Amino acid sequence: MSDDHAGLVAAIGEVIPEAAWQRCYVHFLRNALDHLPRKHGDDCLPRLNEELRRRTYVVRIFPNTESCLRLVRALAVETNENWMEANRYINMDDLREHKKLALRQAA
């Protein structure tokens, strides 16, 4: 397990070809958070970090980079949807109730 330094990964593969390599969790998380706008970092970082830690603890070792990226992308999408739902400007439940009442009155 190491960071994603190309020379180090190549050296590990050359010296110990049968060894499985996995990217360091801390470096992976730092790189993933580099794509997050700075103004949302303080809000998202603790929640995303906690959820990534919980989910990756279950998996432990990913078979390849793509499988790890799929998990992180899915968590990012889920976090974004939860954030969007929590920060709605219009309460959609009230709108649904209003529509129901309007339909009852029209009938």
Side-chain angles (χ1 to χ4, degrees):
M1 186 180 298
S2 69
D3 62 351
D4 194 22
H5 189 274
L8 184 58
V9 174
I12 291 170
E14 187 176 315
V15 175
I16 313 169
E18 66 276 359
W21 176 82
Q22 184 175 339
R23 187 170 187 184
C24 172
Y25 172 76
V26 173
H27 287 95
F28 178 79
L29 183 61
R30 286 181 189 161
N31 289 59
L33 292 173
D34 286 342
H35 298 284
L36 183 68
R38 295 285 181 219
K39 65 181 180 180
H40 299 300
D42 292 340
D43 189 30
C44 293
L45 180 60
R47 281 181 291 172
L48 187 59
N49 190 21
E50 180 182 336
E51 189 63 16
L52 279 171
R53 183 179 295 121
R54 187 179 72 77
R55 299 261 183 112
T56 55
Y57 183 78
V58 173
V59 177
R60 291 289 183 163
I61 298 175
F62 292 92
N64 53 37
T65 304
E66 290 77 23
S67 65
C68 185
L69 287 175
R70 277 193 299 273
L71 175 64
V72 171
R73 283 185 198 118
L75 289 174
V77 167
E78 181 181 327
T79 302
N80 181 55
E81 289 172 353
N82 290 341
W83 186 85
M84 294 296 285
E85 186 70 27
N87 292 303
R88 280 199 175 164
Y89 295 106
I90 300 175
N91 186 342
M92 300 308 280
D93 294 332
D94 293 339
L95 182 62
R96 285 186 201 101
E97 286 298 318
H98 177 71
K99 281 185 174 182
K100 285 180 186 177
L101 288 174
L103 287 172
R104 286 182 193 149
Q105 290 174 355

